[in-house]
């Protein structure tokens, strides 16, 4: 397993993130493209590469959570597809192996007795847009080792599962398992993830308690050992996805107390270069 950290509000610059990442002996930073400093136009490739080399870290990318490549407005959908295409180009330049992506539920109409999701109502048009998106990503990635991982959020709806079956036909798509989100929707996503665990290659790991999410590991009620075993089985990259520096430190301490003290990056054991373990 390879462990990393999210970009945090408390670490406003990339270098601040990298210093924290290195101090905790983590392997990578997940760049969050919801933040203004990680917009494509703001990213200086040479600076990001210099930071990666200087602090001996790597990156993954979390696409904007508003991303909706199936929007019925063609101008909006095209903007999001272009964002993904340009993000893939960025990933190639920086050697980024994983692009994390939410799958939009789109708009719904509330009727007296139910919600009607427009992607479900106009299913054929929706699924065609995902087929086109898959082909775009395949063409942009080519033979590079980049995987676009779809993250569970609030429980995959039936039309989303249909869309996932289309995307997962391609080698360039995989799954991200967010264990806290799964808890928040009553475990609704876990059966689907386990049924398709051969596609699992990325994990967002944080604890949860009742309706509270993104807690430090050990501060909630999840069976974390079970999920660590699942991640280890599939050689997942794991983002310790807390929202604060202190929560991240607590999560790293939890991982280390459980014996996950040897972290790897670029095939090298951490202790070989840095001379210490946590």
């Amino acid at each position: 397993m390879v462990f990393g950290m999210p970009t945090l509000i408390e670490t406003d610059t990339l270098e601040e993130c990298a210093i924290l990442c290195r101090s905790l002996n983590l392997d990578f930073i997940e760049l969050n493209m919801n933040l203004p400093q990680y917009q494509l136009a703001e990213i200086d490739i040479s600076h990001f590469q210099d930071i990666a080399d200087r602090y001996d870290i790597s990156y993954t990318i979390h696409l904007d959570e508003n991303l909706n490549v199936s929007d019925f407005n063609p101008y909006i959908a095209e903007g999001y597809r272009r964002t993904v295409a340009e993000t893939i180009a960025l990933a190639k330049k920086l050697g980024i192996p994983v692009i994390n992506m939410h799958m939009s539920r789109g708009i719904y109409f509330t009727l007296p007795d139910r919600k009607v999701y427009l992607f479900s109502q106009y299913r054929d048009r929706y699924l065609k847009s995902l087929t086109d998106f898959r082909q775009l990503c395949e063409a942009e990635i080519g033979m590079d080792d980049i995987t676009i991982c779809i993250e569970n959020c609030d429980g995959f709806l039936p039309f989303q599962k249909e869309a996932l079956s289309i995307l997962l036909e391609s080698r360039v798509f995989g799954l991200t398992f967010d264990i806290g989100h799964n808890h928040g929707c009553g475990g609704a996503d876990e059966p689907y993830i386990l049924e398709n665990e051969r596609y699992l290659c990325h994990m967002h790991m944080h604890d949860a308690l009742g309706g509270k999410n993104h807690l430090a590991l050990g501060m909630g009620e999840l069976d974390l050992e079970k999920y660590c075993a699942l991640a280890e089985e599939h050689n997942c990259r794991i983002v310790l996805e807390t929202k604060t520096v202190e929560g991240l430190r607590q999560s790293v301490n939890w991982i280390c107390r459980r014996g996950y003290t040897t972290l790897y990056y670029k095939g090298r054991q951490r202790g070989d270069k840095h001379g210490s373990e946590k």
Side-chain angles (χ1 to χ4, degrees), residues 59-76:
Y59 306 116
T60 60
I61 292 176
H62 193 307
L63 287 168
D64 190 322
E65 293 178 21
N66 294 314
L67 193 101
N68 182 2
V69 298
S70 300
D71 197 289
F72 294 138
N73 184 321
Y75 302 112
I76 293 173

Side-chain angles (χ1 to χ4, degrees), residues 164-181:
L164 276 168
S165 69
I166 290 172
L167 297 180
L168 293 174
E169 289 176 1
S170 171
R171 69 168 188 86
V172 307
F173 284 92
L175 292 174
T176 295
F177 189 16
D178 188 306
I179 65 173
H181 291 169

